[in-house]
Amino acid sequence: MKILLVICDGMGDRPSKYFKGKTALQATKHKNLDLLAKNGSAGIMDTIAPGIRPGSDTAHLALLGHDPYKVYTGRGPFEATGIGMDLREGDVAVRCNFGTVKNGTIVDRRAGREAFGLDELGKALNVKIGDTEMLFKHAVGHRGALIIRGTGLSDKIGDTDPHEEGKQIKTSVALEPEAKKTAEVLNEYIKKAQEILAAHPMNKEREKRGFPLANAILTRGPGLAPKIEKFEKKYGIKGGCVTATGAIAGVTKYCGLDTKLVEGRGLASDLDKKTDMALDMLKEKEFCLLHIKGCDDYSHDGNGAAKAKMIGKIDAMIGKLVKKAPKDLIIAVTADHSTPLEFKNHTSDPVPLAIYGQTMRRDNTKRYDEIECAGGAIGRIRGQDLIKILLDLAGKTQLFGA
Ligand code: ZN
Ligand code: ZN
């Protein structure tokens, strides 16, 4: 048996004025999600732990069976992986902006948010400082990521981004004695990057077109590439992921899932295509995580109408999925956290969960929402336990004891 885990980003909610005191799931019709709950079992889940407000990255680490408190070292490493950089254990990854500096003062922290020429400028920023390799890649917009690779490195270094315009680029400071080398290397790199960028023909081209010069790199949020046991090693099966979100792709790739980063999020996305990709992956792999972005964005915006539409779109996708899926597929549908429409950010409220498949017990749940699922046979579980439950339902776990 194989497993498809569908994660609807930020789908959970609280009672809101948009739905007359109900959650979006309670107030909308979704017969296919209900069918999974009705013909399977339901429960609720604290993706990290009760009372902890999860980020999407830390939640996905937990859903893949890792303790985020042990393995999460900040956004830098997963952002670098998410844009396709080859991050290795021991590397320090740093989030970067292209900025505009005039006479030593930062006049624009985002180089006009203009991405023109930044791919090429980014390529010129791969240099060596002493024995340390500096690997840079442009991401989207004015953003990029830097990997610092070498010996004796630490992520306990300060930002060079002052987070304010009208100031000078900060000198990175060592926050622990062991970080002295890393801070020095980074400071030298920041100077070198300004020389390279100032002399680069692409900046002349930007000037010609009236775009602000991208003549400096600002760094923030350093993180040491964490030690994470890869999926196949940890569980003895192959896994894949389909997502349209770079930060999620970073997490799933780093955890060892064969990850396809696809276009399109929210109401504009082609969910049938994503479903087909996931089912295709399941021909060769035993596990696939299908991540669906949409509900979260609309909840951050407080857009109840769009969230309701997105739930309808997910429901239609589930309907087609159940028809197309092989009989021995276990399907779990949940969220990585709640993003209540009125709060406009992630909260710790547990998310609904339904598991559907031949080996799953059937409980008395009739509807898929935060309250009905709470009465289901799965009860209330932690995110880290979900994958073990799914693996056991698929017959892929070992007996503990005799
Ligand atoms: Zn999320
Ligand atoms: Zn969010």
Side-chain angles (χ1 to χ4, degrees), residues 296-324:
D296 183 61
D297 294 329
Y298 302 131
S299 303
H300 280 287
D301 295 342
N303 188 344
K307 187 169 189 174
K309 263 192 203 154
M310 190 67 209
I311 289 172
K313 192 176 166 85
I314 291 169
D315 191 59
M317 177 205 89
I318 296 287
K320 288 187 193 158
L321 167 69
V322 170
K323 281 199 191 108
K324 282 188 211 164

Side-chain angles (χ1 to χ4, degrees), residues 9-10 55-56 60 291 293 296 336-337 346:
D9 206 308
S56 291
H60 276 76
H291 171 253
K293 190 81 175 171
D296 183 61
D336 56 344
H337 48 77
H346 308 179

Side-chain angles (χ1 to χ4, degrees), residues 18-35:
Y18 304 96
F19 300 110
K20 298 190 174 105
K22 289 184 174 173
T23 70
L25 276 169
Q26 279 183 302
T28 50
K29 284 202 173 111
H30 36 69
K31 63 176 195 305
N32 299 304
L33 284 165
D34 295 346
L35 182 132

